[in-house]
Amino acid sequence: MGLYRGLTPAVIGSAASWGGFFILYEELKRKILHRKMRLAETSLGSVSSSGGETHVSSIDATVRSKEIQSTQQPTVQLGPMEHFAASCMAGACLVALTNPLWLIKTRLQLQNSRLQEQVEKSKSIKPPYKGLTHAAYTIVKEEGFLALYKGSIPALMLVSHGGIQFVSYEFLKSKFARPEWKKSSGRNSGTITERLKDSFGYLVMGATSKFVASTTTYPIQVIKSRLQQRSQVVELSEISGEIIVSKREYSGVLDCVGKILKNEGIGGFFKGCLTNAIRVAPSAAITFVVYEWVLDMLSDR
């Protein structure tokens, strides 16, 4: 079961992160778009009301103003920076909620329970975590409540991950998405084969955007994981094969960056990058297909 360590906090954290993220992201986009449309309407109103210098009747001016508003209002859209801002704000709001879950997940995944049990009696080491609740209780007891928020600074920096991902996805969708994809994604439109074929485009765009974002922000993820890991680590020596107890303590982000550069070089920031990309790309692809399907279902009602 070693391959499934940290599964419980990972599932809870993913559900809370993705669910809350999409809700906040769409709401923020709606607010920004509404504000942008109001500004556009205000500017159009000011242009139409400054008709004192033109030689047209008031009726013609009113009709022309309405025609301009009706033709220009639908063209108001959000740009890449606005998508990025909405995504970053949504991600920042969720850091306070999910950081303890990701910290516990990281510690459960990094601990080697068998090695710790072998040396627990002979050496004064901390016992391994037995699960989600035991880990949370032990961390608060030994390190204090604020220990659950270790790595929150790089976690806040990682909100750019969601921003890059959604900007990439919106860009790909604007360039490559075809109108018939949206039309054939309803419940009763097209055969199953046609709907699967149309969904393939969203699968590719979702996986590509996740790969770009994951690779770009991976060094921050490494720093966050190092800060969140348990200070006392039991591991096998690569040279002698003996069980050793080492301490890895970082005083902050800068200290962590300096030690990684000193001991491991630039490559230390990208350890496991390819494995991580292979892990997250398929899940992101499925997530974005479901995301578009749910949006279509809600817009039809």
Side-chain angles (χ1 to χ4, degrees):
M1 297 297 291
L3 294 175
Y4 291 91
R5 285 192 189 130
L7 180 62
T8 301
V11 171
I12 298 174
S14 296
S17 297
W18 280 108
F21 184 88
F22 278 124
I23 292 173
L24 291 174
Y25 176 68
E26 289 298 325
E27 183 64 20
L28 288 168
K29 280 203 310 181
R30 189 182 66 84
K31 294 286 186 182
I32 295 173
L33 181 61
H34 180 69
R35 182 175 180 274
K36 194 172 182 179
M37 292 178 65
R38 289 186 61 184
L39 290 174
E41 290 174 358
T42 303
S43 62
L44 286 173
S46 62
V47 170
S48 60
S49 62
S50 60
E53 298 178 2
T54 60
H55 300 285
V56 294
S57 64
S58 59
I59 297 177
D60 292 339
T62 303
V63 172
R64 184 176 298 178
S65 175
K66 290 182 178 179
E67 290 177 351
I68 292 174
Q69 290 183 12
S70 62
T71 55
Q72 292 189 5
Q73 184 172 341
T75 62
V76 178
Q77 297 179 350
L78 298 182
M81 290 305 299
E82 289 157 331
H83 282 120
F84 183 81
S87 180
C88 287
M89 286 188 288
C93 292
L94 290 170
V95 168
L97 176 64
T98 59
N99 195 79
L101 290 169
W102 296 123
L103 180 138
I104 294 171
K105 179 194 77 79
T106 299
R107 292 199 176 187
L108 288 173
Q109 289 178 335
L110 293 178
Q111 74 176 4
N112 194 321
S113 303
R114 292 183 179 179
L115 290 181
Q116 287 183 264
E117 291 172 356
Q118 291 179 20
V119 299
E120 186 177 351
K121 297 180 180 179
S122 59
K123 297 182 180 180
S124 58
I125 67 167
K126 299 176 181 178
Y129 302 126
K130 299 177 182 178
L132 173 61
T133 55
H134 179 260
Y137 173 79
T138 305
I139 291 171
V140 174
K141 180 181 177 181
E142 294 179 351
E143 306 172 51
F145 180 77
L146 292 179
L148 293 173
Y149 288 90
K150 285 183 177 180
S152 57
I153 294 178
L156 287 171
M157 296 169 64
L158 275 172
V159 300
S160 60
H161 175 101
I164 296 171
Q165 179 180 351
F166 270 82
V167 168
S168 302
Y169 179 75
E170 297 286 354
F171 173 79
L172 292 172
K173 191 166 70 170
S174 65
K175 295 296 182 181
F176 301 106
R178 295 179 297 178
E180 56 265 28
W181 291 1
K182 301 291 285 185
K183 295 178 182 178
S184 63
S185 59
R187 286 175 292 181
N188 301 318
S189 55
T191 64
I192 295 177
T193 304
E194 291 174 347
R195 280 181 282 175
L196 288 175
K197 182 180 178 181
D198 295 333
S199 298
F200 182 75
Y202 289 117
L203 284 171
V204 174
M205 290 187 293
T208 303
S209 62
K210 187 68 174 181
F211 182 83
V212 171
S214 178
T215 305
T216 304
T217 60
Y218 192 76
I220 305 176
Q221 179 67 44
V222 171
I223 296 170
K224 181 171 84 74
S225 298
R226 295 291 181 91
L227 290 173
Q228 290 182 339
Q229 70 181 1
R230 208 170 188 177
S231 59
Q232 192 181 61
V233 182
V234 180
E235 56 188 356
L236 286 173
S237 174
E238 296 180 357
I239 300 175
S240 61
E242 297 179 352
I243 300 175
I244 59 174
V245 180
S246 59
K247 287 190 175 183
R248 295 178 180 175
E249 293 183 333
Y250 303 102
S251 59
V253 175
L254 294 179
D255 180 53
C256 181
V257 172
K259 288 182 178 178
I260 292 175
L261 282 174
K262 180 180 178 180
N263 299 325
E264 305 171 53
I266 295 293
F269 292 104
F270 292 93
K271 285 184 176 179
C273 182
L274 180 60
T275 305
N276 181 71
I278 296 174
R279 176 184 67 86
V280 299
S283 62
I286 297 172
T287 300
F288 274 101
V289 170
V290 176
Y291 165 68
E292 294 290 345
W293 180 77
V294 171
L295 286 182
D296 289 343
M297 293 287 290
L298 293 176
S299 61
D300 291 339
R301 294 184 176 181

